[in-house]
Amino acid sequence: MDGTERRARILWGQHLTAPADPQAVCRDLNGVQAQLLPAALHALAIRSDRPPEPDGLVRSWTIRGTVHLFHPDDLPLFLHRGRDHFLRSVDRMEGDEYVTLERKRYFAGVILDELAAGPCTREELRAACAARGMTEREGESVFNSWGGLLRHLAETGRIAHTVTREKGFQLCPPFTPMEEGEARLELARRYFTHYGPATVRDAAYFFGRPQRELKALMDALPLERAQVEGRDCFWLDQGEGDWPEIPDCLFLAGFDQLMLGYRKEDGLFLPGEHLRGIFSLSGMVMAPILLRGRVAGRWRLRGERAELTPFGRWTAEERGLVRSAAAAQWDRRVVWTDA
């Protein structure tokens, strides 16, 4: 196996060359990262064989402690027993520097009562708590910008983000969390089935866990192994041996799973010289242009324009190819910008 075959296998496994039902895409990819909802919906749409229906999905903190979009059937998996993402005191049901445990429990009850009547925006929930006596200082914990009480309620499976542009929440349907060992093994199985061939370092990067933990899970799976361009790669064989060719051009999403599924410094799809063009120092992951299987630029929609930013020097043929793909993708004026 060479690098081209490896990339072709991965694009197929991630449904970028084999579109599937949106629910199956969410399941196979271990959810779709969704800090930015429009980006998540684009990532899902380019992998789906029909328009996604966001109303049938939920958002919550899952892999790496970041927000993902997934089907409610996977609540037992993602919110399994024993999960802990190094939460702070403000993200747990305990007293902290802003609010006592008793008051935190009280406001948890207020939030759950409000959501029992239907989904609410974050600001509606804040207003309800303020009407029940929440002080500005207590709000620093309850509605902490990085989590707070809302995160605790989500982490414990009582609420989830709504899949809307507004920052809203809804009650979770009832479910029974999976046991930790069973859940971690299933997450690893999905990863090596749909992200493989991948290295141990790739898997550790994706899950945000030590390599020794991933190796223990890998030992429990019937993985295939091959050395590709000097790296030991592993995958779960699905009996497929004829993958579609790598597309000429793909417009990936911001925070796309193809970028987050592999150690970014190893340059599988993202050449090292273009790393900072996609992964900013502020934590943003820009939307890449994948040109013949390698990141060669980025894109964004701005008003009535589709702005395309090449990295390095493109040939006239490459510009024409990407321009045509952009015109087919969006009914907007295509504009070239500098990196």
Side-chain angles (χ1 to χ4, degrees):
M1 181 189 303
D2 59 18
T4 299
E5 181 182 346
R6 183 186 174 198
R7 285 190 286 274
R9 279 176 177 250
I10 289 170
L11 292 176
W12 172 77
Q14 287 214 9
H15 297 295
L16 285 163
T17 58
D21 177 87
Q23 181 178 340
V25 173
C26 284
R27 180 189 65 240
D28 293 345
L29 297 186
N30 279 329
V32 176
Q33 186 144 334
Q35 283 97 327
L36 303 176
L37 182 59
L41 293 177
H42 178 80
L44 187 55
I46 61 177
R47 293 169 164 88
S48 298
D49 60 7
R50 68 199 70 176
E53 298 180 356
D55 290 348
L57 304 173
V58 295
R59 281 195 295 170
S60 195
W61 286 274
T62 61
I63 304 293
R64 300 181 301 278
T66 52
V67 177
H68 281 68
L69 188 68
F70 57 96
H71 193 272
D73 286 352
D74 272 337
L75 280 165
L77 172 66
F78 290 121
L79 302 187
H80 61 75
R81 301 187 195 282
R83 61 194 300 274
D84 191 331
H85 295 299
F86 308 104
L87 303 176
R88 306 161 301 163
S89 291
V90 294
D91 306 322
R92 300 179 184 274
M93 188 54 77
E94 61 185 50
D96 57 56
E97 60 182 303
Y98 302 105
V99 63
T100 65
L101 173 58
E102 181 182 9
R103 293 283 282 172
K104 192 177 281 191
R105 285 175 173 160
Y106 172 70
F107 291 122
V110 172
I111 290 169
L112 294 174
D113 286 345
E114 290 293 316
L115 294 179
C120 298
T121 66
R122 181 187 179 93
E123 290 310 309
E124 287 170 340
L125 293 174
R126 180 188 284 273
C129 288
R132 306 290 180 85
M134 183 184 73
T135 66
E136 185 174 336
R137 182 167 179 78
E138 288 174 328
E140 290 294 319
S141 171
V142 176
F143 293 93
N144 187 271
S145 58
W146 293 101
L149 180 56
L150 291 173
R151 178 157 187 177
H152 167 77
L153 293 174
E155 292 274 359
T156 51
R158 283 176 279 182
I159 70 173
H161 295 263
T162 55
V163 187
T164 60
R165 289 181 179 271
E166 290 186 307
K167 292 182 179 180
F169 292 87
Q170 59 189 336
L171 292 181
C172 272
F175 69 94
T176 301
M178 291 174 64
E179 295 301 325
E180 182 176 9
E182 179 187 4
R184 291 198 183 281
L185 185 61
E186 172 61 15
L187 292 169
R189 184 194 67 77
R190 293 184 185 186
Y191 177 82
F192 284 103
T193 300
H194 293 281
Y195 289 76
T199 68
V200 178
R201 293 201 303 181
D202 289 331
Y205 174 78
F206 176 76
F207 287 108
R209 309 294 296 185
Q211 290 187 38
R212 66 178 182 277
E213 290 187 19
L214 272 301
K215 288 179 180 178
L217 293 170
M218 292 167 66
D219 288 341
L221 295 170
L223 296 177
E224 302 291 329
R225 177 176 181 170
Q227 190 165 89
V228 185
E229 297 180 333
R231 295 189 173 95
D232 285 332
C233 296
F234 304 84
W235 72 96
L236 270 169
D237 187 20
Q238 299 181 72
E240 179 70 29
D242 185 18
W243 301 273
E245 291 186 2
I246 294 175
D248 285 336
C249 180
L250 286 172
F251 295 102
L252 302 178
F255 293 94
D256 198 274
Q257 299 302 100
L258 196 67
M259 295 294 99
L260 298 175
Y262 311 91
R263 188 173 181 270
K264 59 181 180 289
E265 292 84 0
D266 288 347
L268 174 57
F269 290 97
L270 177 60
E273 64 269 26
H274 301 328
L275 193 151
R276 285 291 163 238
I278 299 299
F279 287 84
S280 77
L281 293 175
S282 65
M284 291 295 293
V285 184
M286 308 301 181
I289 299 171
L290 203 67
L291 184 59
R292 294 171 176 146
R294 306 282 283 183
V295 173
R298 63 174 182 252
W299 66 271
R300 69 173 179 172
L301 302 182
R302 191 174 187 180
E304 297 301 314
R305 307 192 312 179
E307 296 184 349
L308 311 180
T309 305
F311 297 157
R313 183 173 297 175
W314 287 11
T315 66
E317 179 204 7
E318 289 169 338
R319 282 182 175 258
L321 187 156
V322 175
R323 177 185 284 277
S324 296
Q329 180 98 27
W330 302 290
D331 184 19
R332 300 179 187 231
R333 183 164 62 94
V334 175
V335 177
W336 298 97
T337 65
D338 295 327

